mmCIF file with all atom_site columns, all heavy atoms in Angstrom:
data_model
loop_
_atom_site.group_PDB
_atom_site.id
_atom_site.type_symbol
_atom_site.label_atom_id
_atom_site.label_alt_id
_atom_site.label_comp_id
_atom_site.label_asym_id
_atom_site.label_entity_id
_atom_site.label_seq_id
_atom_site.pdbx_PDB_ins_code
_atom_site.Cartn_x
_atom_site.Cartn_y
_atom_site.Cartn_z
_atom_site.occupancy
_atom_site.B_iso_or_equiv
_atom_site.pdbx_formal_charge
_atom_site.auth_seq_id
_atom_site.auth_comp_id
_atom_site.auth_asym_id
_atom_site.auth_atom_id
_atom_site.pdbx_PDB_model_num
ATOM 1   N N   . SER A 1 1  ? 7.056   29.062 17.518  1.00 97.00 ? 227 SER A N   1
ATOM 2   C CA  . SER A 1 1  ? 7.178   28.786 18.948  1.00 97.00 ? 227 SER A CA  1
ATOM 3   C C   . SER A 1 1  ? 6.115   27.783 19.379  1.00 97.00 ? 227 SER A C   1
ATOM 4   O O   . SER A 1 1  ? 5.031   27.721 18.770  1.00 97.00 ? 227 SER A O   1
ATOM 5   C CB  . SER A 1 1  ? 6.999   30.069 19.765  1.00 97.00 ? 227 SER A CB  1
ATOM 6   O OG  . SER A 1 1  ? 7.943   31.044 19.402  1.00 97.00 ? 227 SER A OG  1
ATOM 7   N N   . PRO A 1 2  ? 6.390   26.999 20.423  1.00 97.00 ? 228 PRO A N   1
ATOM 8   C CA  . PRO A 1 2  ? 5.341   26.137 20.979  1.00 97.00 ? 228 PRO A CA  1
ATOM 9   C C   . PRO A 1 2  ? 4.109   26.980 21.321  1.00 97.00 ? 228 PRO A C   1
ATOM 10  O O   . PRO A 1 2  ? 4.221   28.080 21.886  1.00 97.00 ? 228 PRO A O   1
ATOM 11  C CB  . PRO A 1 2  ? 5.991   25.556 22.228  1.00 97.00 ? 228 PRO A CB  1
ATOM 12  C CG  . PRO A 1 2  ? 7.449   25.539 21.907  1.00 97.00 ? 228 PRO A CG  1
ATOM 13  C CD  . PRO A 1 2  ? 7.685   26.803 21.113  1.00 97.00 ? 228 PRO A CD  1
ATOM 14  N N   . GLY A 1 3  ? 2.938   26.478 20.954  1.00 97.00 ? 229 GLY A N   1
ATOM 15  C CA  . GLY A 1 3  ? 1.696   27.218 21.157  1.00 97.00 ? 229 GLY A CA  1
ATOM 16  C C   . GLY A 1 3  ? 1.163   27.882 19.909  1.00 97.00 ? 229 GLY A C   1
ATOM 17  O O   . GLY A 1 3  ? -0.006  28.292 19.878  1.00 97.00 ? 229 GLY A O   1
ATOM 18  N N   . ASP A 1 4  ? 2.000   28.013 18.866  1.00 97.00 ? 230 ASP A N   1
ATOM 19  C CA  . ASP A 1 4  ? 1.497   28.560 17.601  1.00 97.00 ? 230 ASP A CA  1
ATOM 20  C C   . ASP A 1 4  ? 0.495   27.590 16.980  1.00 97.00 ? 230 ASP A C   1
ATOM 21  O O   . ASP A 1 4  ? 0.564   26.379 17.192  1.00 97.00 ? 230 ASP A O   1
ATOM 22  C CB  . ASP A 1 4  ? 2.648   28.796 16.612  1.00 97.00 ? 230 ASP A CB  1
ATOM 23  C CG  . ASP A 1 4  ? 3.536   29.969 17.017  1.00 97.00 ? 230 ASP A CG  1
ATOM 24  O OD1 . ASP A 1 4  ? 3.087   30.801 17.821  1.00 97.00 ? 230 ASP A OD1 1
ATOM 25  O OD2 . ASP A 1 4  ? 4.688   30.036 16.524  1.00 97.00 ? 230 ASP A OD2 1
ATOM 26  N N   . SER A 1 5  ? -0.417  28.127 16.204  1.00 97.00 ? 231 SER A N   1
ATOM 27  C CA  . SER A 1 5  ? -1.443  27.280 15.589  1.00 97.00 ? 231 SER A CA  1
ATOM 28  C C   . SER A 1 5  ? -1.059  26.909 14.159  1.00 97.00 ? 231 SER A C   1
ATOM 29  O O   . SER A 1 5  ? -0.241  27.577 13.513  1.00 97.00 ? 231 SER A O   1
ATOM 30  C CB  . SER A 1 5  ? -2.806  27.971 15.602  1.00 97.00 ? 231 SER A CB  1
ATOM 31  O OG  . SER A 1 5  ? -2.785  29.143 14.816  1.00 97.00 ? 231 SER A OG  1
ATOM 32  N N   . ILE A 1 6  ? -1.658  25.828 13.692  1.00 97.00 ? 232 ILE A N   1
ATOM 33  C CA  . ILE A 1 6  ? -1.452  25.322 12.339  1.00 97.00 ? 232 ILE A CA  1
ATOM 34  C C   . ILE A 1 6  ? -2.815  25.005 11.747  1.00 97.00 ? 232 ILE A C   1
ATOM 35  O O   . ILE A 1 6  ? -3.668  24.413 12.423  1.00 97.00 ? 232 ILE A O   1
ATOM 36  C CB  . ILE A 1 6  ? -0.575  24.055 12.339  1.00 97.00 ? 232 ILE A CB  1
ATOM 37  C CG1 . ILE A 1 6  ? 0.801   24.338 12.960  1.00 97.00 ? 232 ILE A CG1 1
ATOM 38  C CG2 . ILE A 1 6  ? -0.416  23.496 10.927  1.00 97.00 ? 232 ILE A CG2 1
ATOM 39  C CD1 . ILE A 1 6  ? 1.668   23.094 13.101  1.00 97.00 ? 232 ILE A CD1 1
ATOM 40  N N   . THR A 1 7  ? -3.025  25.387 10.499  1.00 97.00 ? 233 THR A N   1
ATOM 41  C CA  . THR A 1 7  ? -4.267  25.057 9.808   1.00 97.00 ? 233 THR A CA  1
ATOM 42  C C   . THR A 1 7  ? -3.953  24.375 8.484   1.00 97.00 ? 233 THR A C   1
ATOM 43  O O   . THR A 1 7  ? -2.850  24.500 7.951   1.00 97.00 ? 233 THR A O   1
ATOM 44  C CB  . THR A 1 7  ? -5.117  26.315 9.538   1.00 97.00 ? 233 THR A CB  1
ATOM 45  O OG1 . THR A 1 7  ? -4.334  27.275 8.821   1.00 97.00 ? 233 THR A OG1 1
ATOM 46  C CG2 . THR A 1 7  ? -5.610  26.935 10.834  1.00 97.00 ? 233 THR A CG2 1
ATOM 47  N N   . PHE A 1 8  ? -4.922  23.646 7.959   1.00 97.00 ? 234 PHE A N   1
ATOM 48  C CA  . PHE A 1 8  ? -4.769  23.069 6.625   1.00 97.00 ? 234 PHE A CA  1
ATOM 49  C C   . PHE A 1 8  ? -4.602  24.189 5.601   1.00 97.00 ? 234 PHE A C   1
ATOM 50  O O   . PHE A 1 8  ? -5.280  25.217 5.666   1.00 97.00 ? 234 PHE A O   1
ATOM 51  C CB  . PHE A 1 8  ? -5.989  22.223 6.261   1.00 97.00 ? 234 PHE A CB  1
ATOM 52  C CG  . PHE A 1 8  ? -6.134  20.961 7.056   1.00 97.00 ? 234 PHE A CG  1
ATOM 53  C CD1 . PHE A 1 8  ? -7.232  20.766 7.884   1.00 97.00 ? 234 PHE A CD1 1
ATOM 54  C CD2 . PHE A 1 8  ? -5.184  19.959 6.983   1.00 97.00 ? 234 PHE A CD2 1
ATOM 55  C CE1 . PHE A 1 8  ? -7.377  19.605 8.612   1.00 97.00 ? 234 PHE A CE1 1
ATOM 56  C CE2 . PHE A 1 8  ? -5.317  18.792 7.707   1.00 97.00 ? 234 PHE A CE2 1
ATOM 57  C CZ  . PHE A 1 8  ? -6.412  18.607 8.529   1.00 97.00 ? 234 PHE A CZ  1
ATOM 58  N N   . ASP A 1 9  ? -3.689  23.999 4.671   1.00 97.00 ? 235 ASP A N   1
ATOM 59  C CA  . ASP A 1 9  ? -3.451  24.969 3.607   1.00 97.00 ? 235 ASP A CA  1
ATOM 60  C C   . ASP A 1 9  ? -4.351  24.598 2.431   1.00 97.00 ? 235 ASP A C   1
ATOM 61  O O   . ASP A 1 9  ? -4.012  23.743 1.609   1.00 97.00 ? 235 ASP A O   1
ATOM 62  C CB  . ASP A 1 9  ? -1.979  24.945 3.199   1.00 97.00 ? 235 ASP A CB  1
ATOM 63  C CG  . ASP A 1 9  ? -1.652  25.979 2.136   1.00 97.00 ? 235 ASP A CG  1
ATOM 64  O OD1 . ASP A 1 9  ? -2.497  26.852 1.875   1.00 97.00 ? 235 ASP A OD1 1
ATOM 65  O OD2 . ASP A 1 9  ? -0.550  25.911 1.553   1.00 97.00 ? 235 ASP A OD2 1
ATOM 66  N N   . VAL A 1 10 ? -5.508  25.224 2.360   1.00 95.00 ? 236 VAL A N   1
ATOM 67  C CA  . VAL A 1 10 ? -6.502  24.808 1.380   1.00 95.00 ? 236 VAL A CA  1
ATOM 68  C C   . VAL A 1 10 ? -7.245  26.030 0.865   1.00 95.00 ? 236 VAL A C   1
ATOM 69  O O   . VAL A 1 10 ? -7.451  27.005 1.598   1.00 95.00 ? 236 VAL A O   1
ATOM 70  C CB  . VAL A 1 10 ? -7.482  23.780 2.002   1.00 95.00 ? 236 VAL A CB  1
ATOM 71  C CG1 . VAL A 1 10 ? -8.237  24.371 3.177   1.00 95.00 ? 236 VAL A CG1 1
ATOM 72  C CG2 . VAL A 1 10 ? -8.450  23.244 0.972   1.00 95.00 ? 236 VAL A CG2 1
ATOM 73  N N   . ARG A 1 11 ? -7.641  25.992 -0.379  1.00 96.00 ? 237 ARG A N   1
ATOM 74  C CA  . ARG A 1 11 ? -8.460  27.025 -0.993  1.00 96.00 ? 237 ARG A CA  1
ATOM 75  C C   . ARG A 1 11 ? -9.790  26.423 -1.416  1.00 96.00 ? 237 ARG A C   1
ATOM 76  O O   . ARG A 1 11 ? -9.871  25.241 -1.746  1.00 96.00 ? 237 ARG A O   1
ATOM 77  C CB  . ARG A 1 11 ? -7.749  27.626 -2.213  1.00 96.00 ? 237 ARG A CB  1
ATOM 78  C CG  . ARG A 1 11 ? -6.500  28.423 -1.848  1.00 96.00 ? 237 ARG A CG  1
ATOM 79  C CD  . ARG A 1 11 ? -6.872  29.694 -1.112  1.00 96.00 ? 237 ARG A CD  1
ATOM 80  N NE  . ARG A 1 11 ? -5.700  30.459 -0.684  1.00 96.00 ? 237 ARG A NE  1
ATOM 81  C CZ  . ARG A 1 11 ? -5.154  30.366 0.523   1.00 96.00 ? 237 ARG A CZ  1
ATOM 82  N NH1 . ARG A 1 11 ? -5.646  29.522 1.419   1.00 96.00 ? 237 ARG A NH1 1
ATOM 83  N NH2 . ARG A 1 11 ? -4.114  31.120 0.834   1.00 96.00 ? 237 ARG A NH2 1
ATOM 84  N N   . CYS A 1 12 ? -10.815 27.236 -1.414  1.00 97.00 ? 238 CYS A N   1
ATOM 85  C CA  . CYS A 1 12 ? -12.137 26.763 -1.821  1.00 97.00 ? 238 CYS A CA  1
ATOM 86  C C   . CYS A 1 12 ? -12.176 26.566 -3.334  1.00 97.00 ? 238 CYS A C   1
ATOM 87  O O   . CYS A 1 12 ? -11.533 27.310 -4.090  1.00 97.00 ? 238 CYS A O   1
ATOM 88  C CB  . CYS A 1 12 ? -13.207 27.758 -1.396  1.00 97.00 ? 238 CYS A CB  1
ATOM 89  S SG  . CYS A 1 12 ? -13.358 27.951 0.395   1.00 97.00 ? 238 CYS A SG  1
ATOM 90  N N   . ARG A 1 13 ? -12.943 25.573 -3.751  1.00 97.00 ? 239 ARG A N   1
ATOM 91  C CA  . ARG A 1 13 ? -13.083 25.272 -5.168  1.00 97.00 ? 239 ARG A CA  1
ATOM 92  C C   . ARG A 1 13 ? -14.539 25.002 -5.510  1.00 97.00 ? 239 ARG A C   1
ATOM 93  O O   . ARG A 1 13 ? -15.284 24.455 -4.694  1.00 97.00 ? 239 ARG A O   1
ATOM 94  C CB  . ARG A 1 13 ? -12.244 24.051 -5.548  1.00 97.00 ? 239 ARG A CB  1
ATOM 95  C CG  . ARG A 1 13 ? -10.739 24.289 -5.513  1.00 97.00 ? 239 ARG A CG  1
ATOM 96  C CD  . ARG A 1 13 ? -9.994  22.994 -5.721  1.00 97.00 ? 239 ARG A CD  1
ATOM 97  N NE  . ARG A 1 13 ? -10.162 22.092 -4.582  1.00 97.00 ? 239 ARG A NE  1
ATOM 98  C CZ  . ARG A 1 13 ? -9.758  20.830 -4.563  1.00 97.00 ? 239 ARG A CZ  1
ATOM 99  N NH1 . ARG A 1 13 ? -9.200  20.302 -5.629  1.00 97.00 ? 239 ARG A NH1 1
ATOM 100 N NH2 . ARG A 1 13 ? -9.927  20.089 -3.487  1.00 97.00 ? 239 ARG A NH2 1
ATOM 101 N N   . GLN A 1 14 ? -14.908 25.394 -6.706  1.00 97.00 ? 240 GLN A N   1
ATOM 102 C CA  . GLN A 1 14 ? -16.254 25.120 -7.203  1.00 97.00 ? 240 GLN A CA  1
ATOM 103 C C   . GLN A 1 14 ? -16.339 23.674 -7.662  1.00 97.00 ? 240 GLN A C   1
ATOM 104 O O   . GLN A 1 14 ? -15.463 23.194 -8.390  1.00 97.00 ? 240 GLN A O   1
ATOM 105 C CB  . GLN A 1 14 ? -16.588 26.045 -8.365  1.00 97.00 ? 240 GLN A CB  1
ATOM 106 C CG  . GLN A 1 14 ? -17.965 25.836 -8.963  1.00 97.00 ? 240 GLN A CG  1
ATOM 107 C CD  . GLN A 1 14 ? -19.070 26.405 -8.094  1.00 97.00 ? 240 GLN A CD  1
ATOM 108 O OE1 . GLN A 1 14 ? -18.979 27.539 -7.644  1.00 97.00 ? 240 GLN A OE1 1
ATOM 109 N NE2 . GLN A 1 14 ? -20.115 25.616 -7.872  1.00 97.00 ? 240 GLN A NE2 1
ATOM 110 N N   . LEU A 1 15 ? -17.382 22.978 -7.237  1.00 97.00 ? 241 LEU A N   1
ATOM 111 C CA  . LEU A 1 15 ? -17.684 21.659 -7.758  1.00 97.00 ? 241 LEU A CA  1
ATOM 112 C C   . LEU A 1 15 ? -18.869 21.783 -8.709  1.00 97.00 ? 241 LEU A C   1
ATOM 113 O O   . LEU A 1 15 ? -19.318 22.883 -9.031  1.00 97.00 ? 241 LEU A O   1
ATOM 114 C CB  . LEU A 1 15 ? -17.996 20.696 -6.607  1.00 97.00 ? 241 LEU A CB  1
ATOM 115 C CG  . LEU A 1 15 ? -16.875 20.471 -5.582  1.00 97.00 ? 241 LEU A CG  1
ATOM 116 C CD1 . LEU A 1 15 ? -17.339 19.499 -4.503  1.00 97.00 ? 241 LEU A CD1 1
ATOM 117 C CD2 . LEU A 1 15 ? -15.609 19.963 -6.248  1.00 97.00 ? 241 LEU A CD2 1
ATOM 118 N N   . ALA A 1 16 ? -19.393 20.666 -9.149  1.00 97.00 ? 242 ALA A N   1
ATOM 119 C CA  . ALA A 1 16 ? -20.518 20.691 -10.082 1.00 97.00 ? 242 ALA A CA  1
ATOM 120 C C   . ALA A 1 16 ? -21.742 21.305 -9.417  1.00 97.00 ? 242 ALA A C   1
ATOM 121 O O   . ALA A 1 16 ? -21.925 21.221 -8.194  1.00 97.00 ? 242 ALA A O   1
ATOM 122 C CB  . ALA A 1 16 ? -20.827 19.277 -10.565 1.00 97.00 ? 242 ALA A CB  1
ATOM 123 N N   . GLY A 1 17 ? -22.579 21.910 -10.222 1.00 96.00 ? 243 GLY A N   1
ATOM 124 C CA  . GLY A 1 17 ? -23.835 22.457 -9.727  1.00 96.00 ? 243 GLY A CA  1
ATOM 125 C C   . GLY A 1 17 ? -23.622 23.582 -8.739  1.00 96.00 ? 243 GLY A C   1
ATOM 126 O O   . GLY A 1 17 ? -22.891 24.533 -8.990  1.00 96.00 ? 243 GLY A O   1
ATOM 127 N N   . HIS A 1 18 ? -24.246 23.443 -7.566  1.00 98.00 ? 244 HIS A N   1
ATOM 128 C CA  . HIS A 1 18 ? -24.205 24.498 -6.549  1.00 98.00 ? 244 HIS A CA  1
ATOM 129 C C   . HIS A 1 18 ? -23.224 24.185 -5.427  1.00 98.00 ? 244 HIS A C   1
ATOM 130 O O   . HIS A 1 18 ? -23.223 24.888 -4.411  1.00 98.00 ? 244 HIS A O   1
ATOM 131 C CB  . HIS A 1 18 ? -25.608 24.683 -5.956  1.00 98.00 ? 244 HIS A CB  1
ATOM 132 C CG  . HIS A 1 18 ? -26.663 25.020 -6.965  1.00 98.00 ? 244 HIS A CG  1
ATOM 133 N ND1 . HIS A 1 18 ? -26.880 26.305 -7.416  1.00 98.00 ? 244 HIS A ND1 1
ATOM 134 C CD2 . HIS A 1 18 ? -27.550 24.229 -7.628  1.00 98.00 ? 244 HIS A CD2 1
ATOM 135 C CE1 . HIS A 1 18 ? -27.856 26.298 -8.296  1.00 98.00 ? 244 HIS A CE1 1
ATOM 136 N NE2 . HIS A 1 18 ? -28.285 25.052 -8.448  1.00 98.00 ? 244 HIS A NE2 1
ATOM 137 N N   . CYS A 1 19 ? -22.397 23.166 -5.591  1.00 98.00 ? 245 CYS A N   1
ATOM 138 C CA  . CYS A 1 19 ? -21.534 22.722 -4.495  1.00 98.00 ? 245 CYS A CA  1
ATOM 139 C C   . CYS A 1 19 ? -20.169 23.402 -4.540  1.00 98.00 ? 245 CYS A C   1
ATOM 140 O O   . CYS A 1 19 ? -19.613 23.652 -5.610  1.00 98.00 ? 245 CYS A O   1
ATOM 141 C CB  . CYS A 1 19 ? -21.346 21.206 -4.543  1.00 98.00 ? 245 CYS A CB  1
ATOM 142 S SG  . CYS A 1 19 ? -22.840 20.283 -4.146  1.00 98.00 ? 245 CYS A SG  1
ATOM 143 N N   . ILE A 1 20 ? -19.627 23.681 -3.365  1.00 98.00 ? 246 ILE A N   1
ATOM 144 C CA  . ILE A 1 20 ? -18.252 24.139 -3.236  1.00 98.00 ? 246 ILE A CA  1
ATOM 145 C C   . ILE A 1 20 ? -17.577 23.307 -2.152  1.00 98.00 ? 246 ILE A C   1
ATOM 146 O O   . ILE A 1 20 ? -18.228 22.731 -1.280  1.00 98.00 ? 246 ILE A O   1
ATOM 147 C CB  . ILE A 1 20 ? -18.141 25.638 -2.900  1.00 98.00 ? 246 ILE A CB  1
ATOM 148 C CG1 . ILE A 1 20 ? -18.833 25.972 -1.574  1.00 98.00 ? 246 ILE A CG1 1
ATOM 149 C CG2 . ILE A 1 20 ? -18.674 26.492 -4.027  1.00 98.00 ? 246 ILE A CG2 1
ATOM 150 C CD1 . ILE A 1 20 ? -18.588 27.408 -1.124  1.00 98.00 ? 246 ILE A CD1 1
ATOM 151 N N   . THR A 1 21 ? -16.244 23.248 -2.238  1.00 98.00 ? 247 THR A N   1
ATOM 152 C CA  . THR A 1 21 ? -15.479 22.488 -1.263  1.00 98.00 ? 247 THR A CA  1
ATOM 153 C C   . THR A 1 21 ? -14.353 23.352 -0.722  1.00 98.00 ? 247 THR A C   1
ATOM 154 O O   . THR A 1 21 ? -13.879 24.280 -1.387  1.00 98.00 ? 247 THR A O   1
ATOM 155 C CB  . THR A 1 21 ? -14.903 21.197 -1.888  1.00 98.00 ? 247 THR A CB  1
ATOM 156 O OG1 . THR A 1 21 ? -14.185 20.460 -0.884  1.00 98.00 ? 247 THR A OG1 1
ATOM 157 C CG2 . THR A 1 21 ? -13.944 21.502 -3.025  1.00 98.00 ? 247 THR A CG2 1
ATOM 158 N N   . GLY A 1 22 ? -13.919 23.044 0.489   1.00 97.00 ? 248 GLY A N   1
ATOM 159 C CA  . GLY A 1 22 ? -12.828 23.772 1.116   1.00 97.00 ? 248 GLY A CA  1
ATOM 160 C C   . GLY A 1 22 ? -12.717 23.393 2.579   1.00 97.00 ? 248 GLY A C   1
ATOM 161 O O   . GLY A 1 22 ? -13.392 22.481 3.060   1.00 97.00 ? 248 GLY A O   1
ATOM 162 N N   . GLY A 1 23 ? -11.871 24.078 3.292   1.00 95.00 ? 249 GLY A N   1
ATOM 163 C CA  . GLY A 1 23 ? -11.741 23.882 4.726   1.00 95.00 ? 249 GLY A CA  1
ATOM 164 C C   . GLY A 1 23 ? -12.539 24.941 5.471   1.00 95.00 ? 249 GLY A C   1
ATOM 165 O O   . GLY A 1 23 ? -12.922 25.970 4.904   1.00 95.00 ? 249 GLY A O   1
ATOM 166 N N   . ALA A 1 24 ? -12.817 24.693 6.743   1.00 97.00 ? 250 ALA A N   1
ATOM 167 C CA  . ALA A 1 24 ? -13.493 25.657 7.633   1.00 97.00 ? 250 ALA A CA  1
ATOM 168 C C   . ALA A 1 24 ? -14.920 25.996 7.213   1.00 97.00 ? 250 ALA A C   1
ATOM 169 O O   . ALA A 1 24 ? -15.491 26.973 7.704   1.00 97.00 ? 250 ALA A O   1
ATOM 170 C CB  . ALA A 1 24 ? -12.669 26.933 7.777   1.00 97.00 ? 250 ALA A CB  1
ATOM 171 N N   . MET A 1 25 ? -15.510 25.202 6.296   1.00 97.00 ? 251 MET A N   1
ATOM 172 C CA  . MET A 1 25 ? -16.946 25.385 6.041   1.00 97.00 ? 251 MET A CA  1
ATOM 173 C C   . MET A 1 25 ? -17.722 25.233 7.357   1.00 97.00 ? 251 MET A C   1
ATOM 174 O O   . MET A 1 25 ? -18.750 25.872 7.555   1.00 97.00 ? 251 MET A O   1
ATOM 175 C CB  . MET A 1 25 ? -17.441 24.341 5.031   1.00 97.00 ? 251 MET A CB  1
ATOM 176 C CG  . MET A 1 25 ? -16.810 24.427 3.654   1.00 97.00 ? 251 MET A CG  1
ATOM 177 S SD  . MET A 1 25 ? -17.438 25.812 2.725   1.00 97.00 ? 251 MET A SD  1
ATOM 178 C CE  . MET A 1 25 ? -16.457 25.677 1.235   1.00 97.00 ? 251 MET A CE  1
ATOM 179 N N   . ASP A 1 26 ? -17.208 24.383 8.212   1.00 96.00 ? 252 ASP A N   1
ATOM 180 C CA  . ASP A 1 26 ? -17.687 24.225 9.588   1.00 96.00 ? 252 ASP A CA  1
ATOM 181 C C   . ASP A 1 26 ? -16.939 25.239 10.449  1.00 96.00 ? 252 ASP A C   1
ATOM 182 O O   . ASP A 1 26 ? -15.789 25.007 10.806  1.00 96.00 ? 252 ASP A O   1
ATOM 183 C CB  . ASP A 1 26 ? -17.411 22.786 10.041  1.00 96.00 ? 252 ASP A CB  1
ATOM 184 C CG  . ASP A 1 26 ? -17.768 22.518 11.494  1.00 96.00 ? 252 ASP A CG  1
ATOM 185 O OD1 . ASP A 1 26 ? -18.391 23.381 12.146  1.00 96.00 ? 252 ASP A OD1 1
ATOM 186 O OD2 . ASP A 1 26 ? -17.386 21.447 11.991  1.00 96.00 ? 252 ASP A OD2 1
ATOM 187 N N   . ASP A 1 27 ? -17.485 26.373 10.774  1.00 95.00 ? 253 ASP A N   1
ATOM 188 C CA  . ASP A 1 27 ? -18.865 26.759 10.583  1.00 95.00 ? 253 ASP A CA  1
ATOM 189 C C   . ASP A 1 27 ? -18.946 28.127 9.932   1.00 95.00 ? 253 ASP A C   1
ATOM 190 O O   . ASP A 1 27 ? -19.848 28.897 10.220  1.00 95.00 ? 253 ASP A O   1
ATOM 191 C CB  . ASP A 1 27 ? -19.573 26.727 11.933  1.00 95.00 ? 253 ASP A CB  1
ATOM 192 C CG  . ASP A 1 27 ? -21.050 27.086 11.870  1.00 95.00 ? 253 ASP A CG  1
ATOM 193 O OD1 . ASP A 1 27 ? -21.704 26.726 10.885  1.00 95.00 ? 253 ASP A OD1 1
ATOM 194 O OD2 . ASP A 1 27 ? -21.546 27.734 12.801  1.00 95.00 ? 253 ASP A OD2 1
ATOM 195 N N   . ARG A 1 28 ? -18.003 28.415 9.038   1.00 98.00 ? 254 ARG A N   1
ATOM 196 C CA  . ARG A 1 28 ? -18.031 29.731 8.405   1.00 98.00 ? 254 ARG A CA  1
ATOM 197 C C   . ARG A 1 28 ? -19.251 29.880 7.499   1.00 98.00 ? 254 ARG A C   1
ATOM 198 O O   . ARG A 1 28 ? -19.720 31.009 7.271   1.00 98.00 ? 254 ARG A O   1
ATOM 199 C CB  . ARG A 1 28 ? -16.738 29.979 7.625   1.00 98.00 ? 254 ARG A CB  1
ATOM 200 C CG  . ARG A 1 28 ? -15.456 29.747 8.435   1.00 98.00 ? 254 ARG A CG  1
ATOM 201 C CD  . ARG A 1 28 ? -15.126 30.837 9.409   1.00 98.00 ? 254 ARG A CD  1
ATOM 202 N NE  . ARG A 1 28 ? -14.054 30.443 10.327  1.00 98.00 ? 254 ARG A NE  1
ATOM 203 C CZ  . ARG A 1 28 ? -12.766 30.379 10.011  1.00 98.00 ? 254 ARG A CZ  1
ATOM 204 N NH1 . ARG A 1 28 ? -12.374 30.686 8.787   1.00 98.00 ? 254 ARG A NH1 1
ATOM 205 N NH2 . ARG A 1 28 ? -11.876 30.018 10.921  1.00 98.00 ? 254 ARG A NH2 1
#
């Protein structure tokens, strides 16, 4: 329905060293 929300369909992934990537890191 109009008004429903949509988010990026993404999962977190480990990068090299201590880094991780994903969505909503800001500000989780």
Side-chain angles (χ1 to χ4, degrees):
S227 302
D230 289 341
S231 64
I232 301 175
T233 55
F234 291 117
D235 183 12
V236 61
R237 293 291 177 265
C238 296
R239 290 173 292 171
Q240 180 76 48
L241 299 180
H244 302 277
C245 291
I246 60 173
T247 181
M251 297 286 177
D252 176 9
D253 181 36
R254 308 284 169 76

